[in-house]
Amino acid sequence: MTDATTETRKPRIAIMGEFSAGKSTLSNLLLGTRALPEKVTATRLPPVWIASGVNEPFRIDMDGEEHPVSLDRLEDVPLDDTRFVMLNFVADILDRCDLIDFPGISDPNMASEVWERMLDEVDAVLWCTHATQAWRQSESAVWAMIPEKVRRNSLLLITRFDKLTNDNDRMRVRTRVARETKGLFAAICPISLTQALKAEEGDELWDRSGAKGLYAAIDTIIDRIEQSVGETDEPDARDQASAEVRELRVEAEPSEPVHILPRRVKPGGTARTPRPSAGSENVVDYSRMMDQPPVGNRLERLRADFRQAEENTQTG
């Protein structure tokens, strides 16, 4: 990332994971619409950069030159000569950050260089891992390539969490993943993306799916990135503690509703978005957040509560 744009550009959040881990569904949920035409196979695409706007799609080649592309013919984009494809949407989440949708890192038909060359553009990662085979060795090996400054702002999403049909299985998976990834992510977020897509604003399914937790965590991560602009990549000993991964205090299934405004995915519809919570061994007391009646902007109040919870953790 260039120093010239560091102070003004939005945070850049990558969507990563192995094949069939839920990356496309996550992108649809965050944008409130399908990012790619239904017939396009995302596994055959280079990284797709998604930003706010209404411009026609284009690709950037390895020399930095811009070339127009057709949404209906994205699969014709040459992988070897394309750094990324740029798509513009109007969506709430894109007002605060850009999303970079990476191809599946386990695709044997795609050279890893296709996505490795975009790692230096990323501020944070939403890493998707399938609940029934969560956090495989191949995932761990790729995560070791991610810069430390990116890791401390990243979330591990255990997707298809509804496929684990009993409490014992869910607890076992969460415990194992938390143990094996300790210190590698800011938070772990169990989630059923398909349930979240079906949910309506404020209903039980939205909370139960884990979507509310995810959106609150993403919002907190964006705040962290915005506050860390200008930090050096290699802090001295005095600043070492602040450079380490600081786990968010969030929960997967909060008992009290936090009123965010989710939008269901509608093919071809207007792109809109809600906002981020997560699930690790740490827990936020949502009941304290909801003791007071809603005043002013609900999202701003939610973000303030998360910042306060994080400050309490650091000083406690």
Side-chain angles (χ1 to χ4, degrees), residues 1-23:
M1 291 174 285
T2 60
D3 292 336
T5 59
T6 299
E7 294 186 1
T8 57
R9 67 169 179 78
K10 295 175 184 176
R12 299 164 180 172
I13 301 180
I15 298 175
M16 298 183 68
E18 294 193 328
F19 176 74
S20 194
K23 298 186 305 299

Side-chain angles (χ1 to χ4, degrees), residues 14 38 54 62 85 103 123 128 161 169 172 184 201 211 220 231 256 258 288 296 305:
E38 198 166 5
V54 295
M62 300 306 295
V85 171
D123 297 310
C128 298
F161 205 60
D169 286 347
R172 177 177 54 80
L184 300 181
E201 175 188 347
T220 303
E231 287 185 358
E256 297 291 338
V258 177
R288 180 187 63 79
D305 283 329

Side-chain angles (χ1 to χ4, degrees), residues 16-305:
M16 298 183 68
E18 294 193 328
F19 176 74
S20 194
K23 298 186 305 299
S24 296
T25 309
L26 174 62
S27 176
N28 293 344
L29 176 67
L30 295 176
L31 294 173
T33 190
R34 288 195 180 100
L36 299 172
E38 198 166 5
K39 64 180 181 179
V40 172
T41 304
T43 56
R44 293 300 304 152
L45 296 180
V48 177
W49 192 315
I50 306 172
S52 180
V54 295
N55 296 327
E56 293 298 317
F58 59 88
R59 72 177 181 93
I60 297 294
D61 66 20
M62 300 306 295
D63 295 323
E65 296 294 325
E66 181 178 319
H67 305 270
V69 297
S70 169
L71 278 178
D72 293 331
R73 300 184 63 85
L74 284 180
E75 291 176 301
D76 294 340
V77 169
L79 291 179
D80 293 340
D81 188 44
T82 300
R83 184 168 170 80
F84 63 88
V85 171
M86 173 65 77
L87 300 183
N88 283 154
F89 287 91
V90 177
D92 291 349
I93 196 168
L94 299 180
D95 292 338
R96 298 206 63 207
C97 70
D98 291 355
L99 299 174
I100 304 178
D101 193 353
F102 277 55
I105 57 95
S106 59
D107 188 347
N109 298 314
M110 180 179 293
S112 61
E113 289 81 4
V114 172
W115 54 265
E116 285 179 12
R117 56 195 179 217
M118 285 295 291
L119 288 178
D120 61 349
E121 299 286 356
V122 171
D123 297 310
V125 174
L126 305 180
W127 185 279
C128 298
T129 186
H130 197 304
T132 60
Q133 48 186 354
W135 199 244
R136 302 177 347 149
Q137 289 185 351
S138 53
E139 297 177 85
S140 178
V142 171
W143 193 245
M145 301 169 54
I146 305 299
E148 181 64 31
K149 64 179 182 179
V150 175
R151 289 187 190 182
R152 63 179 181 257
N153 292 324
S154 297
L155 304 175
L156 177 59
L157 280 62
I158 306 179
T159 60
R160 305 191 183 183
F161 205 60
D162 55 313
K163 299 300 182 183
L164 305 177
T165 57
N166 61 70
D167 291 340
N168 286 339
D169 286 347
R170 288 189 285 270
M171 180 60 69
R172 177 177 54 80
V173 169
R174 290 181 61 181
T175 300
R176 178 182 63 78
V177 171
R179 181 180 66 251
E180 294 179 2
T181 63
K182 185 173 179 59
L184 300 181
F185 292 89
I188 299 172
C189 308
I191 185 169
S192 168
L193 295 169
T194 55
Q195 287 183 353
L197 287 174
K198 296 175 183 177
E200 299 286 355
E201 175 188 347
D203 67 13
E204 180 184 356
L205 183 58
W206 177 256
D207 297 350
R208 190 172 69 247
S209 71
K212 180 171 67 176
L214 172 63
Y215 273 91
I218 293 176
D219 208 48
T220 303
I221 289 299
I222 291 173
D223 283 345
R224 278 191 185 182
I225 296 170
E226 292 173 340
Q227 293 166 10
S228 67
V229 170
E231 287 185 358
T232 59
D233 292 348
E234 299 182 4
D236 56 28
R238 177 184 55 191
D239 297 326
Q240 188 64 44
S242 63
E244 294 173 353
V245 172
R246 289 181 292 135
E247 293 186 354
L248 303 181
R249 297 177 60 83
V250 292
E251 64 177 313
E253 299 175 0
S255 57
E256 297 291 338
V258 177
H259 296 290
I260 312 170
L261 300 178
R263 297 290 187 272
R264 296 181 64 179
V265 170
K266 299 179 180 179
T270 302
R272 298 293 302 276
T273 337
R275 297 229 140 97
S277 174
S280 72
E281 42 214 348
N282 300 314
V283 176
V284 143
D285 183 1
Y286 271 92
S287 60
R288 180 187 63 79
M289 293 182 180
M290 302 306 294
D291 283 341
Q292 302 299 323
V295 178
N297 187 291
R298 289 168 173 170
L299 178 57
E300 291 301 322
R301 184 165 58 84
L302 174 62
R303 291 169 56 192
D305 283 329

